[in-house]
Amino acid sequence: MIEATLARSAATARRRLLDICFPVLALGILCAALAALGALIADVWGDGASRLSWDFMTGFPSRRAADAGIWHALTGSVFIILLTGALAVPIGVATAIYLEEYARRGLWSKIIEINITNLAAVPSIIYGLLGLGLFVRALAMGRSVLAGASTLALLVLPVIILSTREALRAVPGSIREGSYALGATKWQTVWYQVLPVALPGILTGTILALSRAIGETAPLITIGALTFVAFAPDGIWSPFTVLPIQIFNWVSRPQQEFQVNAAAGIIVLLVLLLTMNATAIWLRDRFQKKLT
Amino acid sequence: MKLKRFEFLIEWALFLCALLSVGTTAGIILVLAVETFAFLREVPITDFLFGTEWTPLFATPSFGVLPLVSGTVLVSAIAMLVALPCGLLSAIYLSEYADHRVRRAIKPVLEILAGVPTVVYGYFALLFVTPLLQRVIPGLAGFNALGPGIVMGIMILPLVSSLSEDAMQAVPRSLREGSYALGATKMQTSLRVVLPAAFSGITAACILAVSRAIGETMIVAIAAGQQPRLTWNPLVPVETMTAYIVQVSLGDTPQGTLEYRTIFAVGMLLFVGTFILNLVSAWLRERYREEYA
């Protein structure tokens, strides 16, 4: 009798102990993952911070690591991203409006929806092969800024569509009904009432999608963006390189001085990304406050 | 009347934009298929799929894709060994244990982890993780499958974690309450009630993570080496399908040659593989949504 009670309380104690250990273990693993991020940043900063300078930001590529800079790659990245946004945002928002506001629940909208979910998970390098076959060769755009931006636009389109749909879904139905009650047509309702309310949400999603695109390397390498371009792009037909490709180029060299350059390039890229993300989060917070 | 026609035109314009996404899929399949067929006209499909030697750039080329497939599977498997247990545990913690403040602190950091460009992870794998591992494992080559595999696992962890967490959050509260009422502890409830109940959603997350690992390019292109090799040894240089495409794209292989078409054939294989995984994952996610709708 006593033994049974003792055994039971031992089992209970073990259960309790496990119950305490488990979240500690889980939290430990989470912290390890976060520590990895810390290690990454510390490693890159330690390797590259000393190389950061105004000359590095405004310099052009060079065979001597100490003279090389990133101006051509930085301008290339900014140019590509602006063009990508200009191509992808109107089409993405239009698609989302169609699916959210117009489409009847039918076969077509179902196909388009499944298709977009699938496209969002296609590896980015496949988009590179598409860009190579379609834009660079079939449409004869060559290895230009336009071909690169078109490829990236197709890549970010699913992300923009999905986030825009979220934003449109968050707009209360009463706004639409009020507009209809005043005699507005469907498009007038969407354009004058729904879109302005959804705009901050759409902007947030777009910035996040573009910040994903600015770090993309593989598709642009595949369409043949050059790894050695000695000038900043001056038009949509100009050959180009981008920051991630320049970093990749430097990492792949055996000399240590070039790897220092790569680390410095990474710092610039991460700062650019953080700025875009912070803007997106700031917009999201403002948006949430306004709705509640 | 004019207004009515305008409305009609707008609706069609919007529909055409929506159709573009279907066109993208069609474009991908078309571009890959055309080049792959041209490739298969010269190389028998059995040689391509079951050959054990991949030397397309040699004087006497051989086009067996298995070494690239094994490289891809090896790196992805290592990545999943890291991402699955860690991602699941952190999802359980975030969904079942963490209070509001902890979640608000951790989730943005996980988002940042997911948003770091892959070229940066490649740098990290080659110049930080591999040298670190070399201190512990003496036989480790400078380029290997282990370092990039681990880093890829860290990269995918947030995806596994956030999708699994969504699935667990979708499990109704009543199941948990029932479990507590029967005297189960929090851990027993999490592992034996919530986890099985969210199973299809978690499986969907894992499959999507595998698909992401297979398609990941820059980490392996930088840190895994470029030697196609049929091996399960994680300590030596290997080459993945994606890294091969990058390797050819960087060189100056002339267009229209057989070597050039190999990247489309390899790309086709990659696309078909990830496409099937994505479809299964989407189907499973649909299912758990219905289960607790």
Side-chain angles (χ1 to χ4, degrees):
Chain A
M1 182 68 188
I2 296 170
E3 273 168 20
T5 318
L6 272 180
R8 197 175 305 149
S9 71
T12 315
R14 217 180 54 224
R15 256 180 47 172
R16 274 229 186 96
L17 191 68
L18 267 175
D19 204 41
I20 294 168
C21 288
F22 182 73
V24 174
L25 173 75
L27 190 61
I29 280 180
L30 253 177
C31 290
L34 306 189
L37 182 64
L40 191 157
I41 291 170
D43 178 45
V44 169
W45 183 258
D47 289 351
S50 62
R51 187 70 185 79
L52 283 177
S53 67
W54 189 246
D55 287 341
F56 179 71
M57 298 293 289
T58 56
F60 287 97
S62 164
R63 299 199 185 284
R64 297 202 335 181
D67 296 338
I70 54 166
W71 183 247
H72 58 296
L74 196 57
T75 47
S77 273
V78 171
F79 197 2
I80 280 271
I81 282 309
L82 291 179
L83 197 53
T84 302
L87 290 170
V89 171
I91 298 175
V93 172
T95 304
I97 291 175
Y98 178 79
L99 289 175
E100 219 38 59
E101 309 284 332
Y102 282 85
R104 284 160 286 274
R105 304 280 123 208
L107 185 65
W108 267 112
S109 63
K110 186 88 185 159
I111 288 177
I112 294 173
E113 255 171 60
I114 293 176
N115 182 56
I116 290 169
T117 325
N118 244 310
L119 277 180
V122 168
S124 62
I125 196 162
I126 300 287
Y127 283 95
L129 290 174
L130 172 68
L132 179 63
L134 184 66
F135 299 124
V136 176
R137 292 212 268 152
L139 299 179
M141 291 181 188
R143 303 177 160 188
S144 60
V145 172
L146 184 61
S150 308
T151 306
L152 286 186
L154 291 184
L155 177 72
V156 296
L157 206 51
V159 189
I160 293 181
I161 295 172
L162 292 173
S163 59
T164 304
R165 290 189 67 179
E166 296 272 314
L168 289 175
R169 230 172 285 162
V171 176
S174 53
I175 289 185
R176 294 185 187 84
E177 282 153 20
S179 172
Y180 289 138
L182 292 172
T185 63
K186 188 148 199 169
W187 177 246
Q188 286 168 338
T189 305
V190 169
W191 185 252
Y192 292 106
Q193 309 303 330
V194 178
L195 269 184
V197 177
L199 194 63
I202 296 173
L203 271 179
T204 308
T206 303
I207 295 173
L208 287 179
L210 291 182
S211 81
R212 182 60 56 89
I214 209 168
E216 277 295 345
T217 324
L220 294 180
I221 289 181
T222 313
I223 67 157
L226 298 173
T227 45
F228 197 89
V229 176
F231 45 83
D234 54 3
I236 57 170
W237 300 107
S238 155
F240 70 101
T241 194
V242 291
L243 204 43
I245 291 184
Q246 184 61 61
I247 293 167
F248 173 61
N249 181 2
W250 279 333
V251 176
S252 325
R253 298 200 197 185
Q255 300 95 327
Q256 213 248 325
E257 308 88 75
F258 279 110
Q259 292 173 348
V260 171
N261 280 1
I266 287 175
I267 296 174
V268 176
L269 182 63
L270 289 181
V271 168
L272 201 61
L273 270 173
L274 271 184
T275 318
M276 290 175 77
N277 278 311
T279 315
I281 290 168
W282 178 74
L283 272 171
R284 184 162 64 189
D285 282 354
R286 267 188 58 146
F287 178 49
Q288 271 168 356
K289 260 182 225 136
K290 223 168 138 190
L291 263 192
T292 48
Chain B
M1 204 55 218
K2 218 166 119 196
L3 198 62
K4 211 169 181 187
R5 190 183 296 158
F6 179 70
E7 287 285 318
F8 184 73
L9 280 179
I10 286 276
E11 183 164 353
W12 267 98
L14 294 174
F15 179 66
L16 285 182
C17 285
L19 222 48
L20 184 77
S21 73
V22 181
T24 308
T25 308
I28 290 175
I29 294 174
L30 203 69
V31 165
L32 292 179
V34 167
E35 298 284 348
T36 305
F37 278 126
F39 171 77
L40 289 179
R41 222 177 287 140
E42 292 179 58
V43 178
I45 189 163
T46 46
D47 286 13
F48 175 61
L49 286 181
F50 303 113
T52 54
E53 222 173 305
W54 180 260
T55 52
L57 305 175
F58 283 19
T60 49
S62 128
F63 297 98
V65 80
L66 280 185
L68 295 184
V69 174
S70 79
T72 303
V73 172
L74 179 61
V75 178
S76 308
I78 296 169
M80 295 316 290
L81 280 179
V82 175
L84 275 198
C86 298
L88 264 183
L89 273 178
S90 60
I92 294 174
Y93 183 79
L94 288 174
S95 164
E96 306 297 315
Y97 286 87
D99 71 24
H100 191 61
R101 269 168 307 161
V102 178
R103 277 171 63 153
R104 271 190 51 173
I106 288 179
K107 291 202 80 167
V109 187
L110 282 178
E111 272 173 45
I112 293 178
L113 206 56
V116 172
T118 56
V119 71
V120 178
Y121 278 122
Y123 177 95
F124 187 58
L126 180 69
L127 298 174
F128 185 82
V129 174
T130 296
L132 204 66
L133 290 171
Q134 272 171 331
R135 276 193 224 158
V136 192
I137 311 166
L140 191 67
F143 295 107
N144 58 72
L146 189 60
I150 292 173
V151 172
M152 199 191 279
I154 295 173
M155 182 197 84
I156 296 172
L157 193 153
L159 177 83
V160 178
S161 168
S162 78
L163 287 181
S164 305
E165 195 200 333
D166 288 347
M168 287 186 222
Q169 293 276 309
V171 174
R173 241 185 112 82
S174 55
L175 281 184
R176 294 185 183 89
E177 280 160 3
S179 169
Y180 290 139
L182 292 172
T185 61
K186 195 153 194 171
M187 186 184 86
Q188 286 170 324
T189 307
S190 305
L191 290 184
R192 299 198 196 155
V193 175
V194 179
L195 208 59
F199 188 73
S200 59
I202 290 171
T203 316
C206 297
I207 293 174
L208 203 61
V210 174
S211 158
R212 173 74 69 83
I214 291 174
E216 170 44 41
T217 309
M218 292 322 288
I219 300 178
V220 282
I222 291 173
Q226 295 184 332
Q227 298 173 26
R229 183 192 308 238
L230 193 56
T231 178
W232 299 118
N233 180 358
L235 307 180
V236 294
V238 293
E239 182 163 47
T240 65
M241 298 196 271
T242 49
Y244 173 75
I245 298 175
V246 166
Q247 186 195 352
V248 172
S249 305
L250 284 175
D252 34 26
T253 315
Q255 288 179 3
T257 59
L258 192 57
E259 296 83 55
Y260 187 76
R261 289 196 171 119
T262 54
I263 60 174
F264 289 93
V266 171
M268 184 64 150
L269 207 58
L270 190 66
F271 177 72
V272 171
T274 50
F275 190 76
I276 292 172
L277 289 173
N278 298 341
L279 274 185
V280 173
S281 170
W283 176 71
L284 279 169
R285 241 174 309 157
E286 194 75 8
R287 242 182 57 165
Y288 92 72
R289 255 181 222 145
E290 276 165 19
E291 269 167 31
Y292 303 115

